[in-house]
Amino acid sequence: MSIEVLKSAVSRALGELGLLEGNGRIAGEVLLIVDSMTAFWADKPALARALSYGLRQSLYGPNLTVIMTSQYAPTTAMSFGFGLEHVADGVIHMWMDDVEAVKEVRRWLIIKKMRLTSHYSKAVRFNITEKGIIPLEPSLGEVNQGP
């Protein structure tokens, strides 16, 4: 796993899809999802910050939205390396309650960071359905009101 290989693959894919203009800029709106960034630094956590910053700089652009996932170490509940939080414009932390303790699946999310916007700052329980992520509590009206 290498950030350079990822950058090259993204560039090649954009070219093959006809989404690159002659000047190298992206034509149209593009959504790129990288799942999971943790694999790039699992064996070298001290490099996580440099690798994620370099990737962000190379992918940053007006027509490209990048969603990157990262996982937490199950034993410490801490990110592997320094994670992505320092370079991200938004951080959504998702987790589940211990299913053995509560005897059901309870999924939660909290918006930890969202640059340049006011956002709801409490944990929200949610389900995943065929329609996507559906908040269960608080009501949608409360979530949209901000802090």
Side-chain angles (χ1 to χ4, degrees):
M1 298 297 269
S2 138
I3 295 292
E4 293 306 318
V5 169
L6 175 61
K7 288 192 248 183
S8 175
V10 168
S11 180
R12 190 172 62 249
L14 291 171
E16 289 180 15
L17 293 169
L19 296 170
L20 283 181
E21 297 175 347
N23 59 6
R25 295 192 61 163
I26 296 172
E29 298 295 321
V30 174
L31 172 63
L32 171 66
I33 300 173
V34 181
D35 181 19
S36 155
M37 288 300 297
T38 308
F40 290 98
W41 54 72
D43 61 338
K44 47 191 171 298
L47 294 177
R49 188 179 199 95
L51 293 172
S52 58
Y53 183 76
L55 181 62
R56 182 194 190 280
Q57 290 304 99
S58 69
L59 295 177
Y60 189 80
N63 295 341
L64 179 62
T65 299
V66 181
I67 297 174
M68 296 183 209
T69 67
S70 182
Q71 69 186 65
Y72 278 75
T75 53
T76 63
M78 309 253 325
S79 62
F80 291 107
F82 291 103
L84 296 168
E85 295 176 355
H86 66 287
V87 298
D89 290 328
V91 175
I92 300 172
H93 180 143
M94 302 171 90
W95 71 95
M96 289 186 348
D97 286 342
D98 179 358
V99 294
E100 291 179 9
V102 299
K103 307 293 189 247
E104 67 177 305
V105 174
R106 290 188 196 158
R107 296 179 179 98
W108 296 87
L109 66 79
I110 192 164
I111 300 170
K112 294 172 73 174
K113 171 183 174 182
M114 200 61 60
R115 286 194 181 138
L116 303 175
T117 188
S118 176
H119 59 81
Y120 190 74
S121 59
K122 294 182 181 177
V124 176
R125 195 165 160 219
F126 71 94
N127 274 342
I128 300 173
T129 73
E130 64 279 351
K131 294 180 181 180
I133 293 175
I134 308 297
L136 298 177
E137 43 191 60
S139 71
L140 286 173
E142 291 177 75
V143 171
N144 292 332
Q145 289 177 3

